[in-house]
Amino acid sequence: MRGFLKHRLFWPLLILVALLALNLFFTDNFFKVQMKDGHLYGSLIDIVRFGAPLILVSLGMTLVIATSGIDLSVGSVVAIAGALACLRISDLSDQNSVTGVLGAVGLALVLSVVLGAWNGFLVAGIGIQPIIATLILMVAGRGLAQLITDGQITTVNSSPYKLIGGGYWLTLPFGIIIVAVVLALTAFLTRRLALGLLIESVGGNAEASRLAGISARGVLIMVYTFCGLCAGIAGLMISSNVSSADGNNAGLWIELDAILAVVIGGTSLAGGRFSLSGTVLGALIIQTLTTTIYSIGVPPETTLLFKALVVTVVCLIQSPAFRAKVFQRRMRPVEARPATEEKVRVSA
């Protein structure tokens, strides 16, 4: 039992269960999942569905943070990918053309990969600090997204594109299936192959990894490229779900939620070991918290403050040092008695 309590995923899982249980008091049939028209519906399905873009971005952020880096530009990449895809689809003579939609999606993902590789080049090739290198694209990318949409909200009416973020397949929301596939591929590449060890070694000590024959630059460029790809897919899901692209607000502050999800999941910002399953739990915690805030009727003007307070409590509870100071009783050391006093007592 004590070993289970010390498991790194115990506290995130407990927090997630507590948040889900809290919704029972505010939402009727919260845990009820039902089938309608061949599709699964329910609050639990909605949490995973709406949390799918955050899970994707967090997976890419996990590998970046594992190399002791950071990527602040994922929100801008989300906006750029959605804006470019919607712009291309809106120019089609037939927006329901599968070939045309696939071309727009492919173009958006290629640009996302290029932007991620650009971040990796700035960090690994030129040696710019990750927070500065990605801050450049965070600022410029948001402007590029608005330039693509000409500062307007670009709307589309495309059934094939709607499938990505708002459609269903095999009774499940298609976004959940996308997340499951990306998660499975990421887990296979990083846990079944040596790639995960290379990422952890670069994050632990990049110079020592280089001396050991590992291409640290190649690993860094690869993880930033993958992070850009994940952000691009998330951008397609977000814009697809609402059938429009908003270059100003799409993906706004998602980078902060992604970093928080990674940290809650147990991955250290100092780099090294990482946990994909912990990241998924962290993202689900954040999405469940958002759902809970709406359920209990927190005023909109205080939503961010309430969320910040809850997240602070979550991080404190998860901290072993904090739990040791607050929840565990410290045993007072027994004062040693003088040897002469013991001898007197024995002789008596």
Side-chain angles (χ1 to χ4, degrees), residues 55-188:
I55 294 176
L56 283 175
V57 175
S58 300
L59 287 176
M61 189 71 73
T62 300
L63 300 188
V64 170
I65 290 179
T67 62
S68 70
I70 203 76
D71 191 345
L72 299 180
S73 67
V74 288
S76 296
V77 176
V78 165
I80 292 172
L84 183 58
C86 287
L87 178 65
R88 294 290 296 175
I89 293 174
S90 64
D91 291 337
L92 295 175
S93 58
D94 181 13
Q95 295 190 12
N96 290 319
S97 170
V98 176
T99 303
V101 171
L102 288 178
V105 168
L107 182 62
L109 292 182
V110 168
L111 180 57
S112 301
V113 168
V114 170
L115 293 175
W118 169 254
N119 284 334
F121 170 73
L122 292 180
V123 174
I126 301 182
I128 301 177
Q129 289 291 331
I131 192 172
I132 301 300
T134 57
L135 182 63
I136 296 173
L137 184 57
M138 176 185 178
V139 177
R142 188 65 64 175
L144 178 59
Q146 295 190 64
L147 182 63
I148 293 174
T149 60
D150 197 23
Q152 305 295 322
I153 297 178
T154 303
T155 59
V156 296
N157 185 18
S158 172
S159 298
Y161 189 65
K162 183 70 175 180
L163 173 66
I164 298 175
Y168 285 80
W169 191 54
L170 298 177
T171 73
L172 289 174
F174 192 66
I176 296 179
I177 298 176
I178 294 176
V179 168
V181 171
V182 174
L183 177 60
L185 290 175
T186 306
F188 174 78

Side-chain angles (χ1 to χ4, degrees), residues 301-345:
E301 60 272 12
T302 61
T303 296
L304 293 178
L305 177 60
F306 181 83
K307 186 176 181 180
L309 292 176
V310 174
V311 166
T312 301
V313 173
V314 168
C315 292
L316 289 176
I317 293 176
Q318 192 185 6
S319 171
F322 178 80
R323 294 198 308 271
K325 292 181 179 180
V326 177
F327 298 109
Q328 295 182 2
R329 294 180 179 179
R330 295 184 176 181
M331 299 297 295
R332 294 183 179 180
V334 179
E335 297 180 1
R337 297 175 177 174
T340 54
E341 182 180 346
E342 292 293 335
K343 291 181 180 180
V344 171
R345 291 190 177 184

Side-chain angles (χ1 to χ4, degrees), residues 160-238:
Y161 189 65
K162 183 70 175 180
L163 173 66
I164 298 175
Y168 285 80
W169 191 54
L170 298 177
T171 73
L172 289 174
F174 192 66
I176 296 179
I177 298 176
I178 294 176
V179 168
V181 171
V182 174
L183 177 60
L185 290 175
T186 306
F188 174 78
L189 293 175
T190 57
R191 293 311 183 192
R192 295 298 180 181
L193 303 180
L195 180 59
L197 293 176
L198 298 180
I199 293 174
E200 290 178 346
S201 64
V202 171
N205 193 320
E207 182 63 20
S209 299
R210 186 186 65 81
L211 295 176
I214 298 175
S215 176
R217 290 184 177 180
V219 172
L220 288 174
I221 293 176
M222 179 197 62
V223 296
Y224 280 96
T225 301
F226 176 73
C227 189
L229 175 62
C230 289
I233 299 174
L236 296 177
M237 294 175 64
I238 292 174

